Every structure is written in C-alpha cells, then in structure tokens.
C-alpha cells in the first residue's frame, strides 16, 4: 500500500489553521497514524487510529478520515509545531508503510 | 517509561554487513503486547520501515529488503539486533528502533530511540 502526502511543503504562520493530507492507494479503514518529527530528533506519535489523540499531545492536533483519505489539522499553529509530519498505515500489519512527509515551515 | 537506544558503527564499507543493536528499558521483550521495529531515514528523506520482532520471535520484513535483513533478539539482555548485508551508499541513513504496542487496533510506534547515523562509503 502506497501512502501519498500533500503538500510536500506548507508555509504557514503562527496562529494559522493548517490541514495536511494523506491518501492511501487502497482502503485502510481507520488504520492510520500521524507522527511529528523535528530536525535531528526521532518521530513522535500524535494521532493513532486516524483520530485518537496520543496521551500528552495538545488538543489542537485533530485527525480525521477513513478508507483512503485522511487529514491532520492543526488549529492555531504554535511555534513548536513547525516540523515535518508523516502518516503511517498499519492496515497491513505486521508490515507498515509511511508517507513521504509534509514539512510545515515558516511563511 | 519505555526507552530505546541504538548502537553500532558510524561507517561501513560497500558490500560489508551492518549490525545494529537496540537496547531497551522500561518494558520487556517477553511481553506479548510489545514488539520492536527498525526504521530508517536517509538524510532529508522519508521514513522507511525495515523489520519487526515480537515476543513469540515472529519476524516481519520489508518486502523490498527481505533478502538482506535479519532481525533477532536476546530477551535476557533486553536487546534487539538488525543485520543488513551487502551495504551500499544508498543505505546511508539514520537507523531508528521503535517499540510497537499491539494493544491498539491501529498499531503504531509509541516510543523511539534517538537514532544512529550510518554512512556507507569506501
């Protein structure tokens, strides 16, 4: 299963509401997870099961979608949210695939 | 609190075999809920899942790399190993190990090591 994220780069400003998209090449139900990665750091899971917020993650991160189309919305973008975001499907567990990432950068 | 830490060579030559170690703490490799994966990331590029191992010794591999990878573990030492043969410069990447928690319907990597950068060059 191929995972395609768009856009690859998203210029934004603090306070913006931003929406990132992840599309699967075939239906994966709700088996979709989102990660945030900052430069030089390991990824951190934000959302699992398409819409469940990982413990400790701020509520401004909202995941939605089912089947092939998924979104990650960040409400009121904060300075610490500038990072690269990856989606990952677990429909085919125990094998997994990631999207190519969306970099949220300063406009 | 789960913690994972990768170790291994920073430089390998083309055609050599890479062996990496992931030392875990805060959870047991014998737990039926837990597994450990290896994931890599070439500089500036996307994440690529490589392999998993679970408490029952079940192994899974990325189909595009399966003939080059071997994952194993030593539960008594809380260590997971990854062996990758016939290294090539395109294998230059940061290699991460991460914990999988099977307790969720949508299996995800909930704890990660810091990663170890491996360069392949003669």
């Amino acid at each position: 299963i191929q995972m395609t994220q768009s856009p690859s780069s998203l210029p934004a400003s603090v306070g913006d509401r931003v929406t990132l998209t992840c599309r699967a090449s075939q239906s994966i139900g709700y088996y979709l997870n989102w990660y945030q990665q900052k430069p030089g750091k390991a990824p951190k899971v934000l959302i699992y099961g398409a819409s469940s917020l990982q413990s400790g993650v701020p509520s401004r991160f909202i995941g939605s979608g089912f089947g092939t189309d998924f979104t990650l919305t960040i409400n009121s973008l904060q300075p610490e949210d500038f990072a690269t975001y990856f989606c990952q499907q677990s429909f085919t567990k125990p094998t997994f695939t990631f999207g190519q990432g969306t970099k949220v950068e300063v406009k | 609190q789960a913690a994972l830490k990768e170790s291994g060579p920073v430089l390998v030559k083309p055609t050599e075999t890479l062996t990496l170690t992931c030392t875990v703490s805060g959870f047991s490799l014998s737990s039926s809920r837990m597994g450990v994966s290896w994931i890599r990331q070439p500089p500036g590029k996307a994440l690529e899942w490589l392999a998993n191992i679970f408490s029952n010794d079940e192994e899974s591999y990325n189909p595009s790399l399966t003939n080059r990878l071997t994952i194993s573990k030593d539960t008594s030492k809380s260590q997971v190993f990854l062996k990758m043969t016939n290294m090539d410069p395109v294998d230059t990447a940061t290699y991460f190990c991460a914990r999988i928690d099977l307790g969720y319907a949508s299996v995800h990597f909930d704890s990660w090591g810091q990663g170890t950068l491996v360069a392949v060059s003669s």
Side-chain angles (χ1 to χ4, degrees):
Chain A
I1 296 178
Q2 305 298 320
M3 307 301 295
T4 302
Q5 292 185 243
S6 60
S8 56
S9 174
L10 181 55
S13 301
V14 172
D16 284 354
R17 178 184 182 186
V18 299
T19 299
L20 290 62
T21 297
C22 178
R23 175 166 289 174
S25 59
Q26 65 185 73
S27 178
I28 59 171
Y30 60 86
Y31 295 101
L32 190 283
N33 309 309
W34 289 97
Y35 299 82
Q36 176 193 67
Q37 187 180 33
K38 296 182 180 179
K41 300 294 186 181
K44 166 189 164 185
V45 63
L46 301 175
I47 301 285
Y48 61 92
S51 61
S52 296
L53 195 66
Q54 178 75 357
S55 176
V57 174
S59 58
R60 63 180 179 272
F61 291 93
I62 299 172
S64 64
F66 183 86
T68 60
D69 295 311
F70 301 86
T71 60
L72 174 67
T73 299
I74 310 173
N75 287 321
S76 187
L77 195 70
Q78 298 300 298
E80 61 269 28
D81 299 337
F82 291 100
T84 300
Y85 295 83
F86 293 95
C87 62
Q88 171 243 326
Q89 65 83 16
S90 61
F91 181 77
T92 57
K93 69 174 183 181
T95 66
F96 308 102
T97 47
F98 290 89
Q100 82 277 20
T102 292
K103 185 177 182 179
V104 177
E105 55 189 11
V106 177
K107 183 184 290 183
Chain B
Q1 182 85 4
L4 304 94
K5 187 172 184 179
E6 306 87 351
S7 58
V10 294
L11 179 66
V12 297
K13 291 181 168 55
T15 76
E16 287 186 340
T17 295
L18 170 68
T19 300
L20 295 172
T21 301
C22 175
T23 303
V24 311
S25 60
F27 70 100
S28 172
L29 295 177
S30 62
S31 168
S32 60
R33 270 187 63 160
M34 303 301 174
V36 172
S37 293
W38 286 95
I39 296 156
R40 71 177 179 179
Q41 185 175 38
K45 296 190 177 180
L47 300 163
E48 179 180 32
W49 170 77
L50 299 176
N52 304 324
I53 192 164
F54 297 98
S55 59
N56 60 357
D57 291 330
E58 177 188 346
E59 304 165 20
S60 305
Y61 296 100
N62 185 315
S64 66
L65 294 164
T66 188
N67 61 337
R68 297 177 54 205
L69 297 174
T70 304
I71 192 170
S72 60
K73 64 182 174 74
D74 184 332
T75 301
S76 66
K77 294 184 177 179
S78 295
Q79 292 181 324
V80 176
F81 310 100
L82 181 74
K83 188 174 294 188
M84 180 180 287
T85 60
N86 195 25
M87 293 292 284
D88 183 272
V90 300
D91 297 314
T92 293
T94 297
Y95 287 76
F96 296 98
C97 58
R99 187 180 78 166
I100 305 171
D101 188 341
L102 295 173
Y104 297 90
S106 185
V107 172
H108 54 277
F109 308 105
D110 67 349
S111 296
W112 295 66
Q114 63 192 20
T116 185
L117 178 60
V118 178
V120 184
S121 175
S122 55

